[in-house]
Amino acid sequence: MSSKTVIVSLCVSVGLIWIIESWATDVFLEATRPDFQKIPVGVVGIADAGGPDSPEGRIKLGTRIEEVLKADLRRSLVFSLVDVAGLGVKASALGTEPHPSFKQAAEQGASVVVWGKAGMRSEDKDADVNMEAYVYDAGSDEMVGGKRYVGSPSVARLMAHRFADELVFRYTGEPGIARTKIAYVAEQGAARELFVMDYDGYEPRQVTADGFLNLMPRWSPDRRFLVFTAYRHRNTQTIDMIELATGKRWTLVSLGGLNITPTLSPDGNFLAFASSYEGNSELYRMDTRTKAVQRLTVNAAGDLSPTWSPSGRELAFVSDRSGGPQIFLMSGDGTNVRRLTFEGDYNAAPAWSPRGNWIAYVCRTPRKEYKLCLITPDGQKRVQLTTGPGVDDSPSWSPDGRHLVFSSTVEGKSHIYMINADGKDLERITHTGTHNSAPAWSPAS
Amino acid sequence: MTRLQSLIGVPLVIGSCLLVMAGCASKSVRSGGNTAASKQDRGVSGQEVPDLSLSGQDGGSLRGLDKNPSEERVGSNALMAKADPGSAARQLDELRAEQAASAAAGLRDVFFAFDSFMITEEGRQALSRDAEWVKSNQGVQLKIEGHCDERGTSAYNLVLGEKRAKAARNYLVELGVSPGQLSVVSYGKERPFCKEHDESCYSQNRRAHMVVKGGR
């Protein structure tokens, strides 16, 4: 290839990247823009239509589901919750049709009205749960539609999550995050095991039970697998993969030395990871189909923590080639390396936003606190997102790019927290256990 | 595996020793290139791995709101832990055996300053005694665990832990210990000796911990 052709094709590809990226930004919803107006929604209620008995009395299934639904709508950042008690309607009095008073909902500030009911199908304690809920658009005076769910009592929360995601989808065309999961590491005695919980911290389930260390899980793009660092043989690290539905496990990488920070590309075709197999920690990528391994960095310093851009074309990573750890960028094949962070002497654990516009990372402040920072991939804008004492670590983005989860020792023990990408609504989502860390947010389905 | 490690180990150890002693950043750069094939034989799984490329097929997708909704069953998508009940107990037994053997040998650990993997004068003294013990016990395998305090990120501390363990190993080799008797592993900040959030604890956790390896 002549140098002229190279230049021409380079220009074409740069132009193409630019077109794709600007196109991508345009289709993404305006909800990440600061001037986005949330859609005011009034939840009349989810009526209790017969719940199972428990030692504390009859469980109010509708009330429970309503709480979950409201929390989901609030966290969606697409909707704002409006009190519609002024309409004078009770959910238990409603059927599948909107009440005539809903026409006045807009005056109460609600442009969308939601109601429904939930209960056990029969008195049998193993009976299925029914939930139905309906949506009326006050702005257009139109019945939008509804959903009818059935399932075991154990999926009652999931019904609320599913309905919340349907609402987000109806009004934004995006799948919503209420059914997403968070993988994390929890201390179990002397061991650290992988767990998966709902995005709101409920329904934690143990995934590994090795009795030793399992670290830094990442999801496969189809949400079926986790890749992570395992010390099954205690004296060596391997990069393993586990299938969540079956517990089936594979060892993907077992080179000598460190085998850490694995992450799958957005299309699943490459596994990027760090290994010290050839001396010091370097970055590699493995073709997940052919298993061919390609070395991406050649450097006397430590390179680690790769994170893919949403297009899969670039990687951000950590290197201490210039002294302390800093964030660098490079192409997915290891070319075109450039340094991204210059402020401070310790910047690590980068996570590229699924919208592409920010890279979250851990920055050490002048007061030697480890906090979350955001930087644009062109390095032009930098924001410190969290403040206060303690060590914040392992930021991971929600698939809608509006939230982050991370671990923090701000309250003593390490727990998992959620925060909006604008720094608001800090919420602790793990409340039990002695040490919860390394959260990884699943893709949306 | 051990043969290959010692092949790589010797030049690496010499290079890293110089680095540690001089305290400068000029480590010999190992070129990449022709190693992919051997890695495939050695370090990359031969197991059949499921196709991970995203096909767009997904069972959990939304079906939309409907004016006359039909019943939709919500499944539990249960996750299963394939627990190996023997595994945790086995790990504990091995750890206890290692601890007992290490205590009986009277091995000394090496401690480090914040963010540092430089061996201090005190560390050298500890390593001199450890070196004597290993040299007079030719059959023994010594594992050097790198540990860090809780400050900083999990991932970077794994790299720092490895640097600490390797610095200790390199000094032992310099004192005449056979590299074949030594191995390193980094636990970063994931297996702290002390769990309080203060310097008295942090200084205990920044260490290269010497362990007499079990019968593996």
Side-chain angles (χ1 to χ4, degrees), chain A residues 102-367:
Chain A
F102 288 179
K103 287 192 168 55
Q104 279 89 57
E107 290 158 27
Q108 309 245 339
S111 57
V112 178
V113 180
V114 172
W115 72 97
K117 63 180 176 185
M120 300 293 281
R121 220 167 210 190
S122 75
E123 291 295 318
D124 181 358
K125 70 175 170 53
D126 296 321
D128 277 341
V129 167
N130 268 333
M131 174 198 167
E132 51 185 88
Y134 300 94
V135 183
Y136 166 79
D137 194 306
S140 59
D141 182 21
E142 189 192 353
M143 180 64 195
V144 176
K147 296 301 287 184
R148 284 172 57 209
Y149 298 128
V150 61
S152 80
S154 66
V155 297
R157 294 186 67 89
L158 190 56
M159 290 178 181
H161 291 325
R162 205 174 166 83
F163 188 71
D165 278 352
E166 290 282 11
L167 271 171
V168 171
F169 182 67
R170 171 65 178 72
Y171 282 89
T172 68
E174 291 186 352
I177 57 163
R179 291 163 305 144
T180 57
K181 311 253 181 212
I182 292 166
Y184 63 105
V185 174
E187 189 170 63
Q188 300 279 291
R192 294 196 174 182
E193 305 286 3
L194 300 189
F195 281 68
V196 169
M197 63 187 172
D198 288 355
Y199 91 116
D200 57 5
Y202 285 83
E203 316 279 351
R205 293 195 177 101
Q206 189 164 351
V207 176
T208 62
D210 294 4
F212 207 64
L213 296 181
N214 292 289
L215 304 176
M216 287 174 278
R218 289 286 183 278
W219 292 84
S220 67
D222 62 4
R223 323 202 309 169
R224 288 167 58 207
F225 305 94
L226 295 176
V227 292
F228 58 102
T229 290
Y231 288 71
R232 268 207 281 191
H233 308 293
R234 226 152 28 87
N235 304 326
T236 54
Q237 297 169 337
T238 58
I239 291 173
D240 282 13
M241 181 169 86
I242 193 163
E243 186 173 32
L244 293 172
T246 62
K248 192 164 186 251
R249 198 153 154 179
W250 296 262
T251 291
L252 300 179
V253 181
S254 58
L255 303 166
L258 293 176
N259 287 292
I260 59 168
T261 61
T263 179
L264 285 160
S265 59
D267 60 9
N269 288 338
F270 289 102
L271 177 81
F273 62 96
S275 175
S276 63
Y277 161 68
E278 292 174 281
N280 55 305
S281 179
E282 300 280 359
L283 294 180
Y284 299 81
R285 73 171 183 188
M286 186 179 88
D287 185 314
T288 54
R289 283 172 292 196
T290 66
K291 316 277 163 49
V293 173
Q294 184 190 350
R295 182 166 167 176
L296 301 179
T297 55
V298 180
N299 202 283
D303 299 302
L304 66 151
S305 296
T307 173
W308 296 92
S309 69
S311 67
R313 274 193 211 92
E314 290 207 287
L315 287 162
F317 65 101
V318 173
S319 180
D320 57 10
R321 61 187 68 182
S322 47
Q326 295 289 345
I327 314 291
F328 287 71
L329 301 176
M330 66 181 172
S331 300
D333 62 359
T335 60
N336 194 20
V337 178
R338 66 267 187 212
R339 181 171 163 180
L340 178 63
T341 55
F342 290 89
E343 201 159 325
D345 57 1
Y346 191 112
N347 296 303
W352 208 314
S353 150
R355 288 175 194 274
N357 51 348
W358 290 106
I359 292 168
Y361 61 102
V362 173
C363 51
R364 184 161 71 192
T365 67
R367 296 175 60 186

Side-chain angles (χ1 to χ4, degrees), chain B residues 64-137:
Chain B
L65 297 164
D66 202 309
K67 288 218 165 101
N68 188 14
S70 55
E71 195 169 275
E72 198 172 308
R73 179 158 280 277
V74 177
S76 70
N77 64 2
L79 311 171
M80 270 190 268
K82 273 281 157 42
D84 172 1
S87 178
R90 198 163 57 239
Q91 298 276 17
L92 264 179
D93 286 348
E94 284 180 17
L95 282 171
R96 285 206 192 97
E98 277 182 2
Q99 270 167 9
S102 308
L107 292 169
R108 292 218 187 157
D109 289 352
V110 182
F111 295 87
F112 295 85
F114 176 56
D115 259 0
S116 168
F117 57 98
M118 301 294 294
I119 309 268
T120 60
E121 184 48 43
E122 214 182 333
R124 282 176 204 184
Q125 286 171 16
L127 287 169
S128 302
R129 294 183 43 145
D130 293 342
E132 290 315 310
W133 185 85
V134 180
K135 280 193 276 185
S136 55
N137 289 275

